[in-house]
Amino acid sequence: MAQDYKPVRYPRSIFFIISNEFSERFNYYGMRTVLALYLTQKLAYSNDTATVIYHVFTSLAYFFPLMGAILADSWLGKFKTIFYLSIVYCAGSTLIALGAIPPLNLPATWMTVLGLLFIAVGSGGIKPCVSAFGGDQFKLPEQAAQLAKFFSLFYFSINAGSLISTTLTPILREDVHCFGENNCFSLAFGVPAVLMILAIVIFVCGRARYTINKPSGNMIVLVFKCIGNALSVRSKERGTNPRQHWLDYAESRYGKGIVADIKSLLKILILYIPLPVFWALFDQQGSRWTFQATRMDGEVAGYTIKPDQMQVINPLLILAFIPVFESVIYPLLSKIGIRRPLQKLSLGGLLAGAAFVLSGFVEIALDRTNAVLPAAHESQLRIFNGLPCDYRFHTDIPNLTGFNVPSRGAFEALHIDVPATNTTFQFRAETSEIGCVRENMTEFSGTFYLQPGNAVSYFISRKGGRSNLVEYADTAEKDRNGLPLMRLLANVRTTKHISLRHNRDATVVYNVPLNQYDQLAVTEGEYGVYVGEREIATVKLSPGGVYTLILDEFLENEFNLQTHIITPSNSVHMLWLVPQYVVITAGEVMFSITGLEFSYSQAPESMKSVIQAFWLLTVAIGNMLVVFIAEAKFVQSQSLEFFLFAALMFLDMGLFMVLAMRYRYSDSAASPDSIEVDSSSNGKKQHDPLTISESLSERSAKSTTYANEAFRED
């Protein structure tokens, strides 16, 4: 007979906890969304180094939940742990935001690294406490149904914070211009930092309404103590008092129940051995895949998608995929024999590998738009002709003894082998065209200076009635921010005022000084080229392109403008990234949700929190795997690195399948789906190990929220 419980009012303290979680998740995701670009664009780290910093930070953020759980359950309690570590968290966010404000001239690099460490400690430390602290506010079993609603609301706040911040912070970063720069990282970090301060204020405001339980000991600590005791006793008694299992040596101190539960836990943890590889692939959405997006064209119907905004696809697809998988995909898979959790988890891992195969092919397409850079033993030579006549060059450069440079055109030699002992080469240039003969510019000579690993360019111009060759350092590399890069080479008869004016935005004007051949990063779009107030031509500068403009005044106030593309623009559209996001998100649904629900249902009742801690630990190890591969540089090509990760994932899932085939599902810790009718209980459904204080609805809610938190909070 079902027991009737007196209705209990819904805890008002839940509002403060939910609001705190929304603000904290907004801060975390907002900061992390723009982090990789900040490291490369503002702190001048290479893509590889930025990838290492990003994944070390993520790894720490998933290692510290272990420490946070021990701190809360063994010493401080959940409230104090959340409060103290939130202050650490807030300090980290503030450090990064202040370091990103240029006028302050603060040491941004070390402030960012220290800030990331504080955020990892704070975010990781409070991660295992907030949802559990919310659960403490309910009286059980009277409020089991209300507890289930809380977990749904808690999960909604996580996703709301994630979606809003992932969408908003890239806009604050790129569309807002502050401190004289074309972007505003300080605002992109500052808004989340303010939200974190708000999160602390909201959390403290609910202090008088909270139910605060005293620390009662941490199961994770107990597990390690039990294992340590078993190993210690075994080393002493193995010869005199042998036991069937090595953990049995701890029974005398910890009892058969705990020992049996740890045995069940270890069976599951063996399956965890291959899991970090999945997270090594999954978390590259915020690093390698974001860098991939910076080299692509994001324009859609007049709006330009920011590279870091692509990360919003994942949470959006998650919300769409969960009901689709439950109602459509899983029933279809069941018809072909894929029913058990470990089968679904294996398929999810294979999908992650397939996503990286797709990203590898996208990278191959992007390679065609990459800059051609000289190897260590090579030099690059470019010659731009600003005069209205062709020149023939004769040199003593091996394999390059003669070449033509057309009128107002360019010549490129991108792979010149240069010995370190000989870097100077003589040349002579001549023309027979009447225009240059008449102006006494028939020939000139000089020396080319070519350095291994570098590029050098020369500009043929008119000076003092004679042809003149100007040398300047050159590079074909794309802009780190994905902006167009342009250089103006002007061959004018008198001093002129030259400017580029954006055709759509009248406020975007670039004044180009003469006789200075520096590259200029500009906003993408179509520009009018003005000499004084007279527009002489238009030029379109696309994202990622590197351009050299040659301006020739061939008659008094008569101009000719030629545009030369040194490096192609980002011609591959950013929407080509969507398939890999779709595939890896489908893999995430099958891997993360299924994996954690399987673990939760198979673990003994006393080991639920331990299982969640080790699940988060697999995420930390996975991110360290990315760091190892990025630092080891097994391959030089980014596309080959993606294929390497894919191959590693496929091999890893092969190992997992072998382990899964040997696993025997536990009947004593079955999932809710395995509840059977016991004839001895008057037809009531029996489910072990439900306790009086934890109803089926509560357990189901916890199982769902643990899974949701795990895949959403990475």
Side-chain angles (χ1 to χ4, degrees), residues 405-610:
V405 184
S407 166
R408 301 180 184 119
F411 168 80
E412 290 184 312
L414 304 182
H415 303 283
I416 304 175
D417 284 320
V418 179
T421 56
N422 182 21
T423 59
T424 60
F425 302 92
Q426 303 304 311
F427 73 87
R428 180 173 59 85
E430 59 185 10
T431 183
S432 58
E433 295 190 22
I434 295 176
C436 288
V437 170
R438 186 171 55 244
E439 294 191 36
N440 196 26
M441 294 183 292
T442 56
E443 66 177 24
F444 55 92
S445 60
T447 303
F448 289 137
Y449 299 92
L450 306 181
Q451 295 294 329
N454 290 314
V456 64
S457 291
Y458 294 88
F459 176 47
I460 306 172
S461 64
R462 182 189 299 105
K463 185 176 183 181
R466 298 183 60 85
S467 52
N468 182 54
L469 197 67
V470 179
E471 177 186 331
Y472 60 89
D474 198 8
T475 179
E477 274 197 282
K478 295 192 173 193
D479 178 64
R480 283 176 172 266
N481 300 335
L483 297 173
L485 286 173
M486 60 79 59
R487 175 185 280 113
L488 179 68
L489 304 177
N491 179 38
V492 295
R493 296 174 183 271
T494 57
T495 302
K496 309 287 183 181
H497 175 70
I498 301 173
S499 61
L500 271 64
R501 304 179 187 181
H502 201 286
N503 286 351
R504 287 190 177 181
D505 188 349
T507 63
V508 179
V509 177
Y510 298 96
N511 295 314
V512 184
L514 297 177
N515 302 320
Q516 294 182 21
Y517 304 126
D518 297 332
Q519 282 183 329
L520 183 66
V522 300
T523 303
E524 65 185 88
E526 192 171 83
Y527 287 84
V529 180
Y530 285 77
V531 176
E533 293 302 316
R534 176 188 171 195
E535 182 177 2
I536 61 167
T538 60
V539 60
K540 184 176 182 181
L541 305 177
S542 300
V546 180
Y547 305 90
T548 295
L549 310 182
I550 299 178
L551 180 66
D552 175 35
E553 186 180 6
F554 57 94
L555 293 174
E556 187 71 28
N557 289 323
E558 295 295 328
F559 300 91
N560 180 280
L561 183 74
Q562 297 293 327
T563 302
H564 296 278
I565 300 174
I566 309 305
T567 300
S569 62
N570 299 341
S571 56
V572 180
H573 203 279
M574 207 177 290
L575 293 182
W576 280 108
L577 293 176
V578 172
Q580 64 199 54
Y581 274 96
V582 171
V583 173
I584 203 167
T585 304
E588 179 190 2
V589 172
M590 301 191 72
F591 186 95
S592 184
I593 300 178
T594 305
L596 194 54
E597 287 186 346
F598 159 79
S599 304
Y600 186 83
S601 66
Q602 292 290 292
E605 195 65 30
S606 63
M607 297 293 148
K608 305 296 186 187
S609 61
V610 181

Side-chain angles (χ1 to χ4, degrees), residues 71-94:
L71 190 65
D73 293 342
S74 300
W75 289 289
L76 293 179
K78 298 183 186 71
F79 175 81
K80 288 184 179 179
T81 300
I82 295 171
F83 176 62
Y84 293 153
L85 291 184
S86 291
I87 294 175
V88 175
Y89 192 156
C90 187
S93 299
T94 304

Side-chain angles (χ1 to χ4, degrees), residues 55 61 127 136-137 170 251 285 307 324 397 455 461 546 701:
H55 287 283
K127 191 187 296 287
D136 289 346
Q137 309 308 306
E251 282 186 0
Q285 293 178 75
V324 171
I397 300 174
S461 64
V546 180

Side-chain angles (χ1 to χ4, degrees), residues 207-220:
R207 174 69 176 83
R209 299 179 181 272
Y210 294 141
T211 298
I212 300 177
N213 298 327
K214 294 182 179 180
S216 57
N218 187 272
M219 184 57 69
I220 299 171

Side-chain angles (χ1 to χ4, degrees), residues 38-53:
Y38 178 68
L39 293 173
T40 55
Q41 295 178 7
K42 292 302 179 183
L43 301 187
Y45 286 111
S46 68
N47 285 0
D48 285 344
T49 305
T51 297
V52 168
I53 295 173

